[in-house]
Amino acid sequence: MRVLVVENDKVTLLGQVGLALEEAGADLDICRPHAGEALPDDETAHDAIVVMGGPQNALDDGAHPYLPALAALMRRFGEAEKSVLGVCLGSQLLARAYGAENHIGTAPEFGWCPVALTVEAAGDPVLSAAAGSFPIFQWHSDTFSLPEGAVRLATSAGAENQAFRIGRATYGTQFHFEAGREVVDSWATIFPDYIERSAPGWLAERAAHAARDGASAEATGLALARAWVATINAAEARAVA
């Protein structure tokens, strides 16, 4: 399988998502439009798309003029019945692509936070891989309305729309399920000042937070990543079908 991975920041760690893709033998094409690299014109060369997070908001077209094209590309993948995954900013762009409203700065969450599945998630091929309630890493201040036709799959006290699916396998997750403890440790090392401004005192208590929730979040993240990767229909499989 060939997967397009779009990075929206100079520091992008695929974590559990990368591990699941590696396990499946996926070939990854990394695109960094934030650094001036061109997005593909369409979805035809890839079996799936992953769009990761970044510091920009989903409406920041002035500073990041590629965002409308990226949102449109995500929708093209979805409409072609190819698997789509948007994480954090990626989920916000996916919501934008399908006509939802983006709400900037209204829903700050940081750290390992509890998320609960909805009733609809029980029958979902990806979110059903998680427990009914689980801790998972959050790092965002924005949120979005649920796109028309989408199924809400997870929610939290801080942001109602934590995960959703459109169609067969177009998924957005506000939470960072890719973030195992190694990813979080890297973020803490690279962005200490930013984290301290976002969540004063969290760094001093990070070890305790990680001991309480890190292993569980890591296991949940890998289970979700493997379940999403299992939705990818590689070109060879589609040709046989």
Side-chain angles (χ1 to χ4, degrees):
M1 64 180 71
R2 190 177 181 195
V3 179
L4 176 64
V5 177
V6 179
E7 298 184 353
N8 291 296
D9 190 20
K10 62 182 179 180
V11 179
T12 300
L13 305 172
L14 295 180
Q16 306 298 70
V17 173
L19 177 56
L21 287 167
E22 181 181 359
E23 290 175 346
D27 292 327
L28 305 186
D29 285 344
I30 308 297
C31 182
R32 302 177 176 89
H34 69 277
E37 295 181 3
L39 290 164
D41 292 331
D42 57 36
E43 79 291 348
T44 54
H46 300 91
D47 301 305
I49 184 172
V50 176
V51 179
M52 301 301 293
Q56 59 273 61
N57 70 63
L59 301 178
D60 198 6
D61 300 350
H64 303 276
Y66 70 89
L67 291 178
L70 176 53
L73 182 63
M74 296 175 79
R75 182 159 183 163
R76 287 194 64 147
F77 271 82
E79 291 178 343
E81 293 293 304
K82 295 184 176 185
S83 296
V84 178
L85 176 61
V87 176
C88 197
L89 172 63
S91 71
Q92 297 161 9
L93 286 169
L94 184 61
R96 174 183 177 177
Y98 282 88
E101 294 183 1
N102 292 99
H103 303 295
I104 308 304
T106 63
E109 292 182 291
F110 185 86
W112 285 283
C113 303
V115 166
L117 297 185
T118 64
V119 172
E120 291 78 8
D124 184 80
V126 175
L127 270 294
S128 62
S133 180
F134 54 91
I136 206 77
F137 207 85
Q138 304 273 11
W139 191 353
H140 67 95
S141 58
D142 304 338
T143 187
F144 48 84
S145 63
L146 191 69
E148 184 176 355
V151 179
R152 182 183 294 114
L153 299 171
T155 189
S156 76
E160 182 180 27
N161 296 316
Q162 284 288 343
F164 65 92
R165 187 192 76 247
I166 297 172
R168 184 190 71 84
T170 295
Y171 285 89
T173 69
Q174 180 60 75
F175 52 82
H176 284 276
F177 71 93
E178 86 281 12
R181 285 166 290 182
E182 185 174 342
V183 168
V184 175
D185 287 346
S186 295
W187 285 343
T189 300
I190 298 167
F191 303 112
D193 295 339
Y194 192 95
I195 290 173
E196 185 61 26
R197 290 195 300 271
S198 300
W202 185 88
L203 284 171
E205 300 175 355
R206 177 167 61 95
H209 293 314
R212 183 189 65 206
D213 294 323
S216 175
E218 207 166 89
T220 296
L222 186 55
L224 291 172
R226 286 170 170 164
W228 179 78
V229 170
T231 71
I232 300 173
N233 292 326
E236 294 83 355
R238 291 198 302 275
V240 172

